[in-house]
Amino acid sequence: ATIIDRLRDNGVAEQERFPLEARVDIFVAVLNALSYAHDQGLLHCDVKPANVIIGEHGEVWLADWGIARSKTTLQKKAATADSDSARQNQAETLRESTGSKEPTKSAIFGTPKYMSPEQASGNLAEIDEKSDLYSAFILFFEFLTLDEWISSQLNLQDTLEAARTRSVPQIADAVFDQQAKSVPTELRYFLQTGLAHDRSERFTSCEHALCELTRIRAGRFDVRCPITFVKRIQNLLADAIDRWPQRVIFALLLSVIVWALGLAGGILYALG
């Protein structure tokens, strides 16, 4: 959180220490930590910049497991809540006749502005690995854009409402171009998947997200628009030059000669 604040203030030291690649490395370390916890059946439930510690030599710790929950425990609570809800429905008519309302037990826990929609809704049945992953992607969004996912100026109720309804910006949104170096298009698509409001459209696990990020960093991302098409061709060409430099250079020279001869022929034909 301190690093992001200093980057927002254009801190020279932070800009040099945390270029795009370094920020991606930190996000990878966070996903690895979450992946290990999820394999143990544990959900962090409060992933946010303030809970990620960066060491002097680049070490990354995912800290503050104070409200971490066992996935099994949450599922049991969700099942209990469903049975309690059925009993409450039976008593609803009596409460309406007296005009009284019993306080509802809240299942919302965590930091509101970094919650997934299901966590902000208190939906225990849907709080799982995808919820942690969504919060991690909010962290990544803020680290890349230096923009707040949800404004800190909102009150608690409005923050929870924003967490339930917030949608990821479009690919061409200006938020991705605010910094000196724009967020690469392939990472914008990556963020859109990680921050999808519909749970079924998100990455299924940390391993899934890490695998896709590995493909992106290797230049093997999916072609999803003209920009990613051009960048994919550039990456393929660069890889081909590394593998077969003489063949590729010969093919390129041949292509240029053919193009030049075609252009010259066209000009002569037009003049004749």
Side-chain angles (χ1 to χ4, degrees), residues 38 41-46 67-82 106-110 116 118-119 122-132 199:
H38 293 168
L42 192 65
L43 304 177
H44 188 283
C45 299
D46 197 22
I67 63 169
R69 297 287 189 276
S70 160
K71 184 178 178 181
T72 303
T73 300
L74 285 178
Q75 290 174 340
K76 288 180 179 178
K77 287 185 177 180
T80 303
D82 287 341
S106 173
I108 296 176
F109 50 93
S116 64
E118 58 271 17
Q119 192 174 354
N123 190 344
L124 290 177
E126 291 189 342
I127 297 177
D128 57 10
E129 294 87 349
K130 286 188 175 183
S131 301
D132 268 354
R199 286 169 47 84

Side-chain angles (χ1 to χ4, degrees), residues 178-200:
Q178 293 180 153
Q179 305 308 309
K181 187 174 182 180
S182 297
V183 177
T185 304
E186 58 272 22
L187 283 180
R188 302 183 191 191
Y189 283 110
F190 181 67
L191 285 169
Q192 282 210 323
T193 302
L195 292 169
H197 193 275
D198 186 342
R199 286 169 47 84
S200 65

Side-chain angles (χ1 to χ4, degrees), residues 16-27:
E16 292 178 352
R17 186 182 176 191
F18 300 104
L20 177 66
E21 284 301 314
R23 300 182 203 188
V24 175
D25 286 340
I26 290 170
F27 180 63

